[in-house]
Structures are given as C-alpha cells and as structure tokens.
Amino acid sequence: VEQKAELLCQLYGYKRIDTPLFEEAELFARSVGEETEVVQKQMYTFEDRGGAQMTLRPEGTAPVCRAYVEHGMHTLPQPVKLYYIAPIFRYERPQAGRYREHRQFGFEAIGESDPLLDVEVITMAWQFCEMLGIQGLSLKLNSIGCRRCRPAYVEALKGYYSRYTDAICPNCKTRLVRNPLRLLDCKEPPCRNIAESAPKSVDYLCEECRAHFGHLKSYLDLMELSFELDYHLVRGLDYYTRTVFEIQTREEGAQNALGGGGRYDYLVEELGGNPTPAVGFAAGLERIISCVRRQDIPVPPPSEPKVYIAYLGERAKREATELVTSLRKAGIPTIQAVGDRSLKAQMRQANSLGTTYGVIIGEKEVEGGTVMLRDMSRGEQREIALAELVSLLRKKEENCGKEGGIVI
Ligand SMILES: [Zn+2]
Ligand SMILES: [Zn+2]
C-alpha cells in the first residue's frame, strides 16, 4: 500500500515530508479545534522535562502547515505539494482496522484557492483507491462554507436543533452548544432522523463559496468522476472550509469510509502564516489494508532474496564472505549461511527462504576457482567459474520477470 502511495505521489508531483512524532499540544488545540472530539478526548498529551505540553501527532495536516510556516515555504512556487506516511495516535475505542496507534497516508496542496486543485486532490485520492484494486467506490461531497457565510448557517442549525433538545442523544446536547456542525454526522438513530430535515450548508453559501462549489462540480463532471452530494458530511476537524469529501466503499450493504479530506483555507494563517488557501486528503493505512483483505484483492508477494550462499569449511567460508559482498554491491539480493552447518541444513534453509539460486562453495571449488550454482526450484546444478558468477546472476536478475531464460 505504501509503494502505491509513493507511486501516486510521483505521478502528481507531491514530495515527501516527515514531521516530528510529537508537537506542542497548542498546535492541535488551535488547528483541530478546542471543542472537537480529537482534542477533547483523543489526544495523548504529556508534559516534557521542561514543563511544556506535548502531544503525539493525532493528525497530519496541522504539523505540515506548521512546517510550511516555520520553514518559509510561501517563498517556493505555489501550491506546495507535500505528502506523508506517518504514525498517528488517538485514544479511541479500538475496533477492526482502527488502532490507537495507526498509520496515515496524506497529501496536502498548499497555496492556491482554485477549485481545480480540490479536483486534483479528489482525483488523486480516488486513483489511489483504484490503484489498490478496491471495488464499490463512491465519492461523497459537500461544501461547508467560509468564515463569512458559515456563522449564519450555524445559527440556522442551532435554531433547528433547539426544537429537538429532548430527542437528541446526550453527546449531541453537548455538540449543540460547543460544536453544532457535528450534530449532522451523529450515528444515533434518533439523531439521524432529525438530521434528515436539518438545514443544509449548501443553501447558506456566500457568492464566492457557491461559485467555488459550482466550478468544483463542473470540473468533476469534466473528469467524469461521479459524486454524490452528502449534506451531512462535515468531517471531524474544525479547520475545514468549503469543500469536504470522503471516499467510501460499499460492502455487504454497509458504507465504509476509506479516507477523506477537504479545504482548509485559514489554517496556515491561524498558525502564524500569511493567508494561504489549501486542500488535502488523508487515509488510515490499516483501514485500507483491512478493506483490501475483505475484498480478497491479490497482493504481490514481498520480494524474496535471490541468492543463498552455502559453504563447507573455513577456506570456503572466507571466499563465500567475499563473494556475498560483491553480489550485494552488484545489487543482487543475497543471503549468506552462517554457523558452519551441514550442506543439507544450509540447502534446507535456502529452500525455506524461497531463494532462487543456491551457490555452494567447498574445498574443491576453492582450489579450482569455481562455485556450484544451483537452481533451487529445479534442483539442477552446474559448476561455473567464480569470476563469471556476478555477471551471470546480474543478467538473470535483469531478465527476471520475463518468462524463461533462466537455465542452469
Ligand atoms: Zn462563504
Ligand atoms: Zn446524537
């Protein structure tokens, strides 16, 4: 999955960034939002020896924006396109594909407000799921407005929900006061029913936000990427503005979110930078992997070592040691036997490691300047000159993947 992620980022021109595992707690309170569940309930925060409050990274976007500001990335050509594959820590109830320490793949495009960039990020997220062979994908889309138009929407939402204070769940009673947007994605059945008729953010968008959303949808049409408007999609973090989206997969009647993202046009500014619009996406790798497993998607086997070097006797051992160095320098994955075991035991190990070739060196071979080269799957072997071995194996390494050609 990580290899596909890296390939994807190469295709789209995103460069890797590795931010520290922990940051000042303040960074997440300011960006993710004091009233969010992440900050209220899910962060691993501790005091370091200097008395500073530090937090294990609970999400990837705020640290990337912190780095953008701190390292003056506004002087680079915009948008700056970055990706990360990093551990994330959240104190949540562990469940299938969801761990308190998990890994996220995310990418961010910082420094441009063009809705075409939203489309690039959405397309990229979609292509990532497609590259992995995941079936039943759907794209959910919403716009939650900007700081100009959102307050009126939040007021309308509060007004609507204040009529149902007796019917909503206890968590939603708190949300109504502290984080009203999250009322919309509560999973409790009574709250879901109430959310059905709640005011929609798209009906409250200012002219700029409406135009942005309109262009976004028309570019998606142009790309023939079909989407469903989901008026309850708000995402859990406060920094989102305008576009929010999620990629889901439908399996056995249930929708599973694979990842999501959106625009966060004020985040860089809130962290001390210039006003800098931006958009990004993130997905939990364990969730993706459990989806790949549920859908029985064939995964290529991890690459096996190609060559196993066996030896008999001290002189042969010394020669084997030199040989293994030359093979590895030539880029041929090689394992060397250690521990002076019998030849039979060494060959057994070569087999169980799945190596393609065995190279056997004994007293006779040392004397003659040769080695025995063994095709492990066929069990055939022949003597070849030691001096030829590296170039011969390199040729076979280059031909591997092509059918045939490997005859001993
Ligand atoms: Zn707006
Ligand atoms: Zn609720």
Side-chain angles (χ1 to χ4, degrees), residues 145-146 148-149 205-206 209:
C146 66
R148 216 161 344 132
C149 55
L205 298 180
C206 65
C209 286

Side-chain angles (χ1 to χ4, degrees), residues 69-81:
V69 173
E70 212 169 294
H71 299 284
M73 291 191 220
H74 65 280
T75 59
L76 302 173
Q78 307 290 303
V80 173
K81 298 178 175 183

Side-chain angles (χ1 to χ4, degrees), residues 168-169 171-172 175 183 186-188 191:
I168 54 180
C169 75
N171 275 337
C172 280
R175 288 183 186 125
L183 287 162
C186 181
K187 302 286 179 281
E188 298 291 327
C191 305

Side-chain angles (χ1 to χ4, degrees), residues 345-383:
Q346 294 181 56
M347 284 299 106
R348 219 173 17 238
Q349 192 187 20
N351 260 323
S352 65
L353 289 169
T355 45
T356 317
Y357 304 107
V359 172
I360 302 156
I361 310 174
E363 284 294 324
K364 186 172 138 268
E365 284 76 22
V366 174
E367 294 294 338
T370 61
V371 298
M372 293 299 286
L373 179 61
R374 184 181 177 88
D375 182 317
M376 295 304 293
S377 58
R378 297 176 197 214
E380 293 163 16
Q381 60 184 45
R382 72 172 161 105
E383 194 170 4

